[in-house]
Amino acid sequence: MTTGTVTRTQATTPVLLELVRLRKEFGTGEVNVAVDDVSLEVHEGETLALVGESGCGKTTLTRLLLKLIDPTAGSVRFDGRDLATLSTAEMRGVRRQMQVVLQDPYSSMNPRMRISDIVAEPLVTHDPAARGRRARARNRERVGELLEAVGLSAGIQDRYPHEFSGGQRQRVSIARALALEPRLLVLDEPTSALDVSVQATVLDLLADLQQRLGLTYVFVSHNLAVVRQVADRVAVMRRGRLVEVGNAATVFRTPEHPYTRQLLDAVPVLDPRRGRRATERVPATGEESR
């Protein structure tokens, strides 16, 4: 694994999330190793992009760092605390600080629930004071604030998910993720289901929220054009292992690992001579290292 230049964010901020030699195996007979000896740090206030082709282990790694599944070996530390050592009550407190925005906002919402109940769901789940009839007015006020924070009207609370566009639903998902005032957001392909023009507005929103709220992002994507736009650092994953980690500008300009070069070479580019998309591939040299 190679590392690039240390970013300003790394140099001036503490580590919020640390993955230490994580390994995840599935199966009992023929074992499938989905994540293999992954160590990684995410610093407060930065955007770390996790990239790689489908099946490389990105989703499994994010499930591990959110403690949705347990590792076969290794550890996940959030703000210096090993998640495996926390009690159920302590883990509930940590879960308030780490939230996720999924790829398909519609499938992550109950179509029978109103927007007010969808956005307030984390509050009701984690805060006893947000439950019951007496809390409804306070919850609606909070939901209105969250909706306005993501560029939506507070007046949409009584509508249902099917009444909105994909971009608007993703904004609702982001509002829900912000309800508990988290420190870390895991963004799992948050724009891949959206039109290109809508992608840009959602990315702008995420950048604005990060600046205003001091959020830390783990941005999972296979779209390198998007990653180039949003990431401070990039971690490249292949077959369950990290093959390159570094400053985003450095990785895109001078990738060191053959697989990283292959990913970059596979990005379609506009050929002005023919007025259509063409793919320029440069053969990767050297043997792949593990």
Side-chain angles (χ1 to χ4, degrees):
M1 185 178 69
T2 58
T3 57
T5 304
V6 174
T7 65
R8 179 181 56 83
T9 302
Q10 284 179 272
T12 58
T13 60
V15 174
L16 179 63
L17 178 71
E18 184 179 10
L19 313 181
V20 182
R21 306 203 67 176
L22 275 184
R23 180 179 177 89
K24 182 62 180 177
E25 300 174 356
F26 292 101
T28 54
E30 186 176 347
V31 174
N32 173 34
V33 181
V35 172
D36 187 9
D37 196 28
V38 169
S39 295
L40 190 63
E41 293 180 348
V42 183
H43 293 250
E44 282 207 65
E46 79 167 337
T47 297
L48 178 113
L50 184 62
V51 305
E53 61 193 345
S54 297
C56 71
K58 301 189 303 293
T59 298
T60 300
L61 186 60
T62 58
R63 292 173 69 192
L64 288 168
L65 69 87
L66 290 166
K67 207 177 185 301
L68 298 177
I69 57 176
D70 294 321
T72 305
S75 63
V76 178
R77 298 172 185 169
F78 185 84
D79 203 16
R81 306 170 74 189
D82 186 342
L83 299 189
T85 67
L86 302 184
S87 66
T88 300
E90 289 172 328
M91 192 62 216
R92 284 179 66 86
V94 171
R95 290 203 184 282
R96 297 177 64 100
Q97 300 180 62
M98 47 200 312
Q99 296 290 302
V100 62
V101 176
L102 299 173
Q103 176 178 354
D104 182 359
Y106 191 63
S107 66
S108 70
M109 300 177 187
N110 186 332
R112 297 183 179 182
M113 290 175 65
R114 299 179 188 272
I115 297 300
S116 59
D117 296 322
I118 290 172
V119 177
E121 192 171 16
L123 297 172
V124 174
T125 300
H126 287 270
D127 186 0
R131 302 167 194 166
R133 292 183 178 179
R134 293 182 179 179
R136 283 195 69 84
R138 186 167 61 251
N139 288 353
R140 285 185 68 88
E141 181 179 358
R142 175 60 175 153
V143 169
E145 293 172 353
L146 290 164
L147 291 173
E148 290 178 347
V150 298
L152 296 173
S153 168
I156 68 170
Q157 296 192 43
D158 292 323
R159 296 166 67 180
Y160 292 91
H162 73 270
E163 300 181 63
F164 297 94
S165 67
Q168 290 171 324
R169 285 195 290 262
Q170 194 60 292
R171 288 172 183 265
V172 172
S173 293
I174 295 169
R176 176 176 58 184
L178 295 176
L180 296 173
E181 300 182 359
R183 299 168 67 187
L184 172 72
L185 283 188
V186 176
L187 304 163
D188 189 359
E189 301 276 9
T191 62
S192 64
L194 307 177
D195 293 338
V196 174
S197 60
V198 179
Q199 286 183 18
T201 62
V202 171
L203 292 175
D204 287 343
L205 170 65
L206 290 170
D208 178 64
L209 290 170
Q210 184 176 43
Q211 184 175 19
R212 286 194 286 124
L213 304 178
L215 295 168
T216 303
Y217 292 155
V218 173
F219 194 100
V220 182
S221 182
H222 66 274
N223 188 330
L224 296 183
V226 169
V227 168
R228 186 192 292 266
Q229 179 180 343
V230 304
D232 297 305
R233 287 192 302 137
V234 176
V236 182
M237 198 167 186
R238 187 188 191 198
R239 297 178 181 174
R241 297 178 66 92
L242 291 181
V243 296
E244 185 164 356
V245 180
N247 173 276
T250 302
V251 170
F252 277 99
R253 184 175 60 251
T254 55
E256 296 183 14
H257 195 277
Y259 178 66
T260 307
R261 293 198 292 270
Q262 289 172 8
L263 287 179
L264 293 171
D265 292 342
V267 177
V269 296
L270 186 64
D271 186 340
R273 295 167 301 176
R274 289 177 284 180
R276 63 181 178 82
R277 289 208 164 269
T279 302
E280 298 178 358
R281 296 183 180 274
V282 179
T285 59
E287 294 297 323
E288 177 183 338
S289 59
R290 285 181 63 87

